[in-house]
Amino acid sequence: MGYEDIAESVISGDIDGIQAQVDRYLADGATANEIIEQGLLGGMAVVGKRFKEGDMFIPEVMRSARAMNDVMVMLEPLMMGQAVASAGKMVIGTVAGDLHNIGKDLLSMVLRSSGFQVIDLGVGVTAEAFLEAVLREKPDVLGLSALLTTTMPAMQQAVKLIRSDPAAASVKIIIGGAPVNAAFADEIGADAYAPDAGSALETMQELVSV
Amino acid sequence: MAQPYANPTSPRRSMPFLTDGEIEVLYEKALVFCETKGFKIENGPMLRALESAGAQVDHDAEVAKFPRSLVEAALKTVPASFSLCALDPAHDLIFPHPADSFYVRTNTGATFYLDPGATALRRLTVADIQAWGRLGDQLEHIDICAFGTPSDVPQYAADIHGLNAILSNSSKHTWVQPYHENNVQHLIELAAAAVGGEAEFRDRCPISFIACSLTPYTFKPLDAEVILRAAEYGVPIQACSLPSEGGTSPVTPIGTAFVAGVEVLAMTVMAQVLKPGLPVVGTPLVFAMDMQTGRVGQSSPEALAGATAAVQFVKRALGLPAHTYAAGSDSPVFDQQVTIEATLQATLVAMAGADLLGAAGQFQTATALSPLQLIMDNEVMGLLKRLVKGSRVDDESLGWETILSVLHSDTFLMSEHTYTHCRDAWRTKLFTRESEETWKMRSGQNLGQRTTEIYEQLAATPKADLLDDAKLQAMSDVVQKAEQALA
Ligand code: B12
């Protein structure tokens, strides 16, 4: 059996059906890891591809992600310390003074649906809170979002604080949001900039593979 | 329901995007929403003021619910008529518009600027705002000169520098977007300095304030602070709600118009509780999220449907003058799409009956400014002002006598009626209706070239001295003091 039905439930976002399917596989002796890697992530890979090609819309992708996450929660205790293969780990937040969250949330959704583990610190995140999260979570990448020219300095402060702490300095930093650009990323010492969620995914994959 | 906001003597022809029955349904549901769901208001003094006016307040959750009686009382004290004053009284804006027309505002908050002839955007500067103010002042259909966010000043005082630049270069009314609650008082002092002091400011306030919700149903400390200060100094409020269909509001245009409308209503209640009679302009700015890509824009048919519905809800159910995006485009580049989308939106919004048409001169969804687009928008607005006048049926508009007196197969050219009305038609200053041959002979210039030529003439006009040295000095002192305090 190839777990195709689970993958299919992820793709169609069948939040109710997928639970019963997973129960059946577990009863038949499948391991949590097999279900995740072959069923859930297999399905999510299709979702990611279809979203990129414009065949799946955002609310459909979110439903798929929810179907996957619901059973992940159920499977985690059965993993017995084995790590789930992840495309990479990211901490993300909107900088201090800025409450715009739509773009950041969208990016998180796209990254999660492509296998990234995303820890979202929310909006109005101070430089100190970013640093603390980087030290605690040890992500591959830190993502900073700003939608206001007036909060671009807060972005700069966050990068500066993180670069000044030897235990955090090496984290890759990517920035985004309407008023920022690649030149600004260079100027403040960030590693990358992406103009939208689609290109951010590609840039993330590059950053993580370096 | 409140009395619909309109000029009783000459009801302008607006297209009924919503029926009376539908307006009634929205209004009833708005009252239910206010009473049962309420709003999160992150500001203690505002919550206390609302509570003493009869709102049901949960201080821990910072949620205020407004009983029907409170909402209805507030809608009764909104002034039916008021003026948005300008530095030059000739540019005062009287609401309702005496000719039953609309006013036009330039775009706010843009951070990029496209120089005529350039292809790449650059960051907006104080000098651009100064030039923008002078340009807007010379364009006859621009009534409010709003401004972008300058990049070449400390960002914590960007709004203050922006206001300083516009007030010293434009004699028209402006509206102001404060970026932080600590800046509000400085902005008031700056505008007061421009008119010669606090008494003059209270008497003839040259600015109105943007108060803006954090959709859905939330008011951050800044939003409430703006309303508190506006009430204290008598500054008119532009109650803004910026929902994104599918993102921060229902995916459907009507659901979004409703959310925008109730947020405008909430700000109206706050303003009237603090200062009954404070002028309020209902300003729903409707966006739609593209469910396929996540982009948020203003120009899709869904966003336009939300905007026209929100305008009619605000105007007909809440009885407020309505203001929304009318110009502007989602196009990332300055091309024909900008002109098409801006004109379509302006037309629909004008036909929906909006009293104030916003955001002239922008593209990239309100983030980039183009002076050429401003000149084109000015022309389109002139044309639309003509259009919304509509036609009333009477013997004079029919030309009844002439119709009967003209002989079969004759022309109307020589008739008295034609003579009397031959100058009625709106004259274009930008478009051409020449034959191809004449056009080639006379200029051979396309729209872009003609617009650039007008731009160059206007830009070369020497700056008028709008404010005397004492006022300019007082303003510069306020800016300096603000910078020190906010740094
Ligand atoms: C919706 C909106 C709001 C909503 C936000 C709702 C919410 N929950 O987020 C509300 C109404 C609450 C709001 C409030 C304000 N706003 Co606002 N807002 C907008 C608007 C119209 C759209 C933003 C948006 O959601 N876009 C959709 C998302 C999907 O796109 P995005 O954010 O750009 O994100 C994409 C990319 O940028 C990128 N990205 C984003 N973040 C990141 C991070 C990383 C790491 C990467 C790689 C990529 C990335 O990927 C995303 C997905 O593709 C913009 C105008 C515009 N055209 O951008 C103004 C705008 C940004 N706002 C503006 C202003 C002024 C304000 C207010 C000050 C107004 C006020 N008085 O309240 C407040 C500020 C509040 C605060 N302290 O933050 C101005 C900013 C001007 C400036 N100086 O920069 C703008 C430009 C509008 C304007 N012309 O005035 N706003």
Side-chain angles (χ1 to χ4, degrees):
Chain A
M1 273 284 261
Y3 304 93
E4 288 89 355
D5 50 347
I6 290 189
E8 205 41 60
S9 292
V10 170
I11 296 167
S12 63
D14 184 357
I15 293 165
D16 301 324
I18 197 167
Q19 303 270 357
Q21 287 168 337
V22 169
D23 285 341
R24 265 201 309 280
Y25 277 102
L26 287 173
D28 289 348
T31 68
N33 235 344
E34 286 163 354
I35 297 174
I36 293 171
E37 307 243 321
Q38 297 175 49
L40 300 180
L41 295 181
M44 226 39 213
V46 175
V47 170
K49 184 166 169 284
R50 288 194 186 166
F51 174 63
K52 206 173 152 188
E53 286 164 0
D55 290 340
M56 271 180 87
F57 282 23
I58 292 163
E60 296 163 348
V61 175
M62 294 185 112
R63 169 118 1 153
S64 294
R66 197 180 133 202
M68 179 175 89
N69 290 338
D70 282 3
V71 281
M72 276 294 221
V73 173
M74 194 170 118
L75 291 173
E76 243 156 38
L78 308 174
M79 299 275 300
M80 298 192 239
Q82 279 178 289
V84 186
S86 149
K89 184 172 180 182
M90 175 189 231
V91 165
I92 194 170
T94 304
V95 300
D98 204 321
L99 301 173
H100 293 85
N101 65 358
I102 301 178
K104 166 185 69 63
D105 290 359
L106 190 65
L107 174 62
S108 306
M109 189 257 335
V110 168
L111 292 174
R112 283 192 183 118
S113 67
S114 299
F116 282 88
Q117 185 192 351
V118 180
I119 292 143
D120 184 351
L121 304 180
V123 294
V125 182
T126 60
E128 292 72 24
F130 277 120
L131 175 62
E132 200 180 289
V134 169
L135 295 173
R136 185 179 66 237
E137 302 288 347
K138 311 222 172 319
D140 302 299
V141 181
L142 171 66
L144 305 176
S145 181
L147 261 285
L148 298 166
T149 50
T150 50
T151 56
M152 286 164 65
M155 191 174 248
Q156 181 162 23
Q157 273 163 23
V159 175
K160 199 167 154 201
L161 184 68
I162 283 160
R163 294 298 191 223
S164 70
D165 188 312
S170 64
V171 69
K172 295 275 188 333
I173 301 179
I174 182 168
I175 65 166
V180 304
N181 56 22
F184 184 68
D186 269 354
E187 191 186 316
I188 65 172
D191 298 284
Y193 155 79
D196 54 45
S199 61
L201 173 61
E202 280 162 31
T203 312
M204 283 287 290
Q205 284 159 340
E206 283 161 27
L207 284 177
V208 172
S209 70
V210 177
Chain B
M1 266 196 342
Q3 275 297 317
Y5 182 83
N7 187 335
T9 53
S10 61
R12 167 148 51 94
R13 304 303 151 107
S14 67
M15 278 156 69
F17 288 89
L18 299 174
T19 65
D20 287 344
E22 288 167 340
I23 291 284
E24 190 95 31
V25 169
L26 290 177
Y27 181 70
E28 280 305 316
K29 289 207 187 295
L31 291 177
V32 171
F33 181 96
C34 289
E35 200 156 33
T36 57
K37 176 98 183 172
F39 303 90
K40 182 159 200 263
I41 300 170
E42 300 168 349
N43 185 301
M46 182 65 88
L47 285 173
R48 286 192 289 279
L50 287 165
E51 192 168 33
S52 32
Q56 217 188 68
V57 175
D58 176 340
H59 287 278
D60 293 330
E62 299 184 301
V63 168
K65 296 178 182 168
F66 305 157
R68 178 181 272 262
S69 54
L70 173 61
V71 175
E72 289 185 330
L75 287 179
K76 283 209 182 79
T77 61
V78 179
S81 63
F82 60 87
S83 293
L84 296 182
C85 295
L87 288 180
D88 177 353
H91 292 314
D92 281 2
L93 310 179
I94 300 163
F95 287 82
H97 194 294
D100 206 12
S101 185
F102 56 78
Y103 298 109
V104 179
R105 164 185 67 81
T106 65
N107 186 62
T108 303
T111 54
F112 293 104
Y113 195 82
L114 186 67
D115 288 304
T119 47
L121 293 173
R122 58 175 178 74
R123 289 202 186 275
L124 187 89
T125 64
V126 167
D128 296 328
I129 298 179
Q130 293 167 338
W132 188 257
R134 293 203 289 276
L135 181 61
D137 238 28
Q138 297 178 79
L139 295 172
E140 66 173 306
H141 301 298
I142 298 299
D143 303 291
I144 296 185
C145 261
F147 52 98
T149 314
S151 62
D152 53 345
V153 292
Q155 287 301 293
Y156 52 78
D159 45 3
I160 295 164
H161 282 279
L163 179 61
N164 187 39
I166 207 81
L167 285 176
S168 37
N169 287 276
S170 160
S171 58
K172 295 183 176 175
H173 183 83
T174 192
W175 77 339
V176 184
Q177 163 70 81
Y179 283 147
H180 194 278
E181 53 264 34
N182 295 344
N183 297 26
V184 180
Q185 183 65 28
H186 297 293
L187 290 164
I188 290 175
E189 284 171 20
L190 179 59
V195 289
E198 193 186 315
E200 290 81 355
F201 178 79
R202 287 179 183 272
D203 187 37
R204 288 187 44 80
C205 183
I207 62 170
S208 45
F209 266 138
I210 296 179
C212 176
S213 49
L214 180 61
T215 311
Y217 334 136
T218 304
F219 297 91
K220 49 194 185 299
L222 165 67
D223 311 324
E225 173 70 11
V226 168
I227 301 175
L228 285 159
R229 291 292 166 149
E232 190 183 334
Y233 287 89
V235 181
I237 286 180
Q238 309 254 3
C240 293
S241 165
L242 285 83
S244 310
E245 291 171 10
T248 52
S249 62
V251 71
T252 43
I254 295 297
T256 294
F258 178 80
V259 168
V262 293
E263 292 184 352
V264 167
L265 179 55
M267 287 179 268
T268 308
V269 171
M270 288 186 238
Q272 298 308 310
V273 158
L274 294 168
K275 188 176 169 72
L278 191 70
V280 178
V281 179
T283 311
L285 303 171
V286 174
F287 300 87
M289 185 185 247
D290 179 336
M291 286 296 124
Q292 191 182 40
T293 64
R295 295 279 307 162
V296 168
Q298 62 171 90
S299 310
S300 68
E302 290 72 28
L304 297 179
T308 49
V311 161
Q312 300 209 329
F313 179 28
V314 160
K315 209 174 146 119
R316 288 161 58 193
L318 308 184
L320 300 172
H323 174 188
T324 193
Y325 276 0
S329 160
D330 295 331
S331 176
V333 291
F334 184 56
D335 61 5
Q336 286 87 338
Q337 184 183 330
V338 177
T339 327
I340 293 169
E341 288 184 338
T343 304
L344 178 62
Q345 184 153 10
T347 308
L348 285 171
V349 162
M351 288 300 159
D355 299 279
L356 186 44
L357 270 59
Q362 57 104 332
F363 63 108
Q364 273 194 11
T365 323
T367 56
L369 293 183
S370 157
L372 296 185
Q373 185 58 36
L374 184 62
I375 292 170
M376 288 192 263
D377 284 337
N378 176 63
E379 189 76 358
V380 170
M381 294 301 179
L383 190 156
L384 286 172
K385 282 180 179 173
R386 165 66 189 85
L387 213 54
V388 296
K389 274 196 199 158
S391 303
R392 279 152 198 89
V393 178
D394 53 33
D395 283 359
E396 187 58 21
S397 67
L398 266 174
W400 184 233
E401 268 180 39
T402 320
I403 287 176
L404 294 181
S405 64
V406 163
L407 301 174
H408 294 91
S409 315
D410 201 357
T411 77
F412 286 73
L413 204 50
M414 299 295 289
S415 79
E416 191 62 22
H417 187 255
T418 304
Y419 176 80
T420 310
H421 292 283
C422 72
R423 285 178 173 270
D424 287 3
W426 178 77
R427 307 297 309 169
T428 177
K429 295 193 172 111
L430 186 58
F431 302 146
T432 176
R433 312 196 201 287
E434 296 159 328
S435 74
E436 189 187 353
E437 286 312 312
T438 316
W439 170 73
K440 273 189 199 149
M441 258 162 38
R442 282 165 57 107
S443 76
Q445 288 183 328
N446 64 22
L447 178 64
Q449 292 163 325
R450 290 194 300 274
T451 310
T452 306
E453 199 174 280
I454 293 181
Y455 168 77
E456 281 162 0
Q457 284 162 12
L458 296 177
T461 314
K463 176 182 180 317
D465 287 332
L466 300 173
L467 301 172
D468 59 37
D469 288 348
K471 283 180 182 152
L472 289 171
Q473 185 56 49
M475 289 166 71
S476 143
D477 292 346
V478 174
V479 174
Q480 247 181 26
K481 197 185 86 185
E483 267 209 25
Q484 278 163 10
L486 298 170

